[in-house]
Structures are given as C-alpha cells and as structure tokens.
Amino acid sequence: MLVLTRKVGEKLVIGDTIVVSVVEVGRGSVRLGVEAPQNVSIFRFEVYQRIQEENLTASRAAAASEITKAAAFWRQKAMATPGQEGKHK
C-alpha cells in the first residue's frame, strides 16, 4: 500500500486517466474529488463489497435455478422416449 501525505488542493494521479484531489480536511474525515473516465466505476469500499456479495448471491441462485430447469428438462425428455436411455443420436 502506498501512503501519501497531501494538503487541501493537492492531487495525485493514478495511471494516465484518474486524478484524486484533496478537497477538504475536517475532524476525522477527508473529502476527496475523483476525476476519471466515464467507463471507470468508482465506489466507496463498503458499497463495492455489498455489490460483490449481492452479485455472488444472485449468481448462486441463478445457477441453482438453471440446474433445476435442466434436470426437469431431461426428466421430461426421458419420460417422453421410454427405452431410449443412454442412446445418443
């Protein structure tokens, strides 16, 4: 981790396209301004963590749902064509 000391009005550059400015320093907090291209997502860390958790939960639910659908499909197909188990075209 890089640790820097900056004063109000000073900036730092990340890569070629992201500029972080110290806007205000108060009691126990620092206000930062971030300039970045529109295609770069910027989140507070706790918000980013929550998004990742929700994405993981949603993907697990979708995967379980797809497995259930596939199992039902193959069960129905097996019932429609008795005696054809294990044969492939």
Side-chain angles (χ1 to χ4, degrees), residues 3-50:
V3 179
L4 301 170
T5 301
R6 302 275 72 203
K7 295 178 182 175
V8 173
E10 293 183 329
K11 301 177 181 188
L12 63 103
V13 178
I14 301 172
D16 292 328
T17 59
I18 300 172
V19 178
V20 180
S21 304
V22 178
V23 176
E24 181 182 325
V25 177
R27 286 189 157 188
S29 68
V30 176
R31 292 187 70 198
L32 301 173
V34 181
E35 298 172 47
Q38 282 191 328
N39 65 330
V40 175
S41 298
I42 302 170
F43 298 101
R44 292 187 327 253
F45 186 72
E46 62 276 10
V47 172
Y48 177 79
Q49 283 182 312
R50 181 66 187 251

Side-chain angles (χ1 to χ4, degrees), residues 52-64:
Q52 294 302 311
E53 290 168 4
E54 289 179 7
N55 286 344
L56 184 59
T57 300
S59 69
R60 286 181 180 156

